[in-house]
Amino acid sequence: MAMVALGACSNEEKDLSYRGLSMGLPFQTFCDSLMARGFAVDSAKTDSAFTRVVMANPTANYRLMLAQQDGKVIALQENYKISTNDSTRQLWQQLRDDFEKELGAWPNMPKHGDDHKVAKFETAGGFITLTLENTYTPTLQVLYERKK
């Protein structure tokens, strides 16, 4: 489910990838690639300077929020639309296990309760943070941040 790969040539700096798409691409190219995968820009939630862009895909159970600086992707966040605490707990665990397997690393776990969990992975190209907060409205987010 969470396909993460670190793509790099031996002469290039390692970059974080989002589902096989290098976050080192120019911002517009990155957005165009997401649009080719079925995502569309939600202009009502995107700022006019195109610094923060919100994208949605009708077949995905999450929305994307992308942040750019100087024409480069600096962060991407998946915000999952899930209605029950049990389903967020199950998906959080599945994503965490997938990242552990793909990255070959254990996460730093600053919070590890039943209803509030945070797992932070560090890669050569950036950071991936899974956050679960089950309160009145269950929320699950996956944040990808490139190293500067």
Side-chain angles (χ1 to χ4, degrees), residues 2-138:
M3 299 303 292
V4 175
L6 299 175
C9 295
S10 58
N11 296 337
E12 293 179 16
E13 195 173 301
K14 290 188 177 187
D15 237 326
L16 186 62
S17 285
Y18 171 72
R19 298 182 183 254
L21 185 60
S22 173
M23 291 178 67
L25 293 171
F27 186 74
Q28 189 57 53
T29 304
F30 190 83
C31 287
D32 291 345
S33 297
L34 287 172
M35 285 188 236
R37 294 179 179 193
F39 283 88
V41 174
D42 183 344
S43 57
K45 296 186 183 332
T46 298
D47 65 15
S48 61
F50 222 60
T51 304
R52 288 190 183 168
V53 176
V54 176
M55 300 182 88
N57 182 334
T59 63
N61 66 341
Y62 58 88
R63 296 174 70 78
L64 296 176
M65 185 170 66
L66 294 87
Q68 73 153 322
Q69 184 175 21
D70 300 324
K72 297 214 176 227
V73 180
I74 57 170
L76 178 145
Q77 182 170 300
E78 293 177 337
N79 296 309
Y80 283 82
K81 296 181 272 185
I82 300 176
S83 59
T84 67
N85 288 345
D86 288 339
S87 57
T88 57
R89 285 185 198 108
Q90 183 180 15
L91 183 55
W92 185 91
Q93 189 63 51
Q94 179 185 351
L95 290 169
R96 179 182 178 259
D97 293 348
D98 289 348
F99 282 124
E100 279 182 9
K101 182 179 177 184
E102 185 71 29
L103 299 171
W106 290 88
N108 177 15
M109 297 283 297
K111 296 228 181 235
H112 196 310
D114 285 338
D115 289 321
H116 188 188
K117 298 179 186 186
V118 177
K120 294 185 175 191
F121 293 90
E122 181 175 359
T123 70
F127 304 93
I128 301 169
T129 305
L130 283 85
T131 304
L132 169 70
E133 291 181 5
N134 282 337
T135 54
Y136 296 109
T137 304

